[in-house]
Amino acid sequence: MISITGAQQNELLRALSRADLERLFCQLELVALPAGKHLFDCGGKIEYTYFPTNAIVSLLYVMEDGATTEIAVVGREGVAGVVLYEAERATCTAIVQTAGYGYRLKTAFLREVFNEGGALAQLLMRYTSAMFAQMAQNVVGGRHCSIEQKLCRWLLDRLDRSLSNELKVTQDTMANMLGVRRESITVTARKLQDEGLIQYRRGTVEVLDREGLEAAAGNCYKAARAGFEQFRSGISAHN
């Protein structure tokens, strides 16, 4: 069932007026997003735009040899798969990392609404700016941050989009997303656990000390977070 309350679990949709949100109802569809589901693949056509509610989506760059690196993450604060030109193709691969639900909209309809201007177009442009900040920080972090800083940032990115302090994730997944060896993740996770920042059980990371994790991440996390805080401030002022 599509409802105002349900759709407003996504922050971007919640920022719309009731009239603007109801305009989307004829095309908006609630969908289950199981872990591992490909929403779209690099080079492919994007049929739907997704607004997660409690699911978390990884945007990945996939090398020719199959190696992957995460370039951004999307949760209830945003949207994945915005296509503003009919011939546009995906420049990355989007995979559901944390299972949950979301709302999807046909990209052709979103493009139609965007071209009319108005509130949704403004929100999408503001969100795109915040995403650029996140991607830029990931590039800088990949070159200049330690593995410990990158892992802390990665965990915090998910914590910001999660409804609890527990994250369902394996060391293999963390290694693949960060583009490092699994052994490096094992050593770093053990260090964070010894320092009382996290507790790691097979397939589950529980964050025990968020402030400590933020301090360990340093600027590797702060810059990207600042971009989204600016985005949230902008939509709050708009409302």
Side-chain angles (χ1 to χ4, degrees):
M1 291 289 293
I2 303 298
S3 68
I4 290 288
T5 302
Q8 288 178 333
Q9 292 179 58
N10 176 275
E11 292 180 30
L12 200 151
L13 294 179
R14 186 167 69 238
L16 294 172
S17 69
R18 186 183 183 94
D20 286 332
L21 186 52
E22 287 179 344
R23 164 80 195 283
L24 306 180
F25 270 29
C26 62
Q27 295 284 342
L28 209 58
E29 179 185 2
L30 176 64
V31 291
L33 299 175
K37 178 179 176 62
H38 283 233
L39 303 185
F40 50 83
D41 290 297
C42 185
K45 187 174 181 180
I46 302 178
E47 299 286 350
Y48 292 95
T49 299
Y50 292 85
F51 299 85
T53 54
N54 60 343
I56 298 176
V57 178
S58 289
L59 302 184
L60 309 174
Y61 185 79
V62 183
M63 305 290 288
E64 289 185 2
D65 62 1
T68 61
T69 300
E70 183 177 81
I71 58 174
V73 60
V74 180
R76 65 181 184 276
E77 84 293 342
V79 59
V82 175
V83 179
L84 302 181
Y85 305 98
E86 188 171 355
E88 190 174 348
R89 293 294 184 268
T91 57
C92 63
T93 295
I95 299 177
V96 178
Q97 188 174 93
T98 300
Y101 290 86
Y103 289 82
R104 72 180 187 181
L105 196 65
K106 290 183 178 179
T107 54
F109 181 75
L110 179 69
R111 195 159 54 242
E112 177 185 322
V113 176
F114 181 88
N115 288 335
E116 294 174 359
L120 182 58
Q122 292 179 29
L123 285 170
L124 290 176
M125 287 188 287
R126 286 177 177 150
Y127 179 74
T128 298
S129 178
M131 282 293 286
F132 279 145
Q134 182 187 168
M135 290 179 179
Q137 186 60 31
N138 284 346
V139 171
V140 173
R143 288 181 58 85
H144 301 290
C145 293
S146 67
I147 291 177
E148 180 178 344
Q149 288 175 313
K150 288 190 284 188
L151 179 58
C152 289
R153 176 195 56 77
W154 192 89
L155 293 172
L156 287 164
D157 281 344
R158 270 114 195 110
L159 198 64
D160 287 343
R161 295 160 174 84
S162 177
L163 300 178
S164 75
N165 288 333
E166 285 194 355
L167 306 172
K168 301 295 183 183
V169 61
T170 66
Q171 290 189 2
D172 282 335
T173 296
M174 290 187 280
N176 288 335
M177 295 295 103
L178 292 173
V180 300
R181 298 172 61 219
R182 184 184 187 279
E183 292 78 8
S184 298
I185 294 296
T186 300
V187 171
T188 305
R190 185 179 299 122
K191 180 176 183 293
L192 296 177
Q193 182 165 270
D194 291 343
E195 293 172 352
L197 302 182
I198 67 171
Q199 182 176 13
Y200 182 77
R201 301 181 300 277
R202 188 172 183 85
T204 301
V205 175
E206 181 182 2
V207 176
L208 303 177
D209 181 358
R210 179 181 178 116
E211 290 185 0
L213 206 62
E214 287 187 21
N219 289 329
C220 193
Y221 168 70
K222 291 177 182 177
R225 182 181 181 182
F228 280 105
E229 286 179 345
Q230 184 177 357
F231 165 69
R232 288 188 170 106
S233 297
I235 63 177
S236 294
H238 176 77
N239 289 339

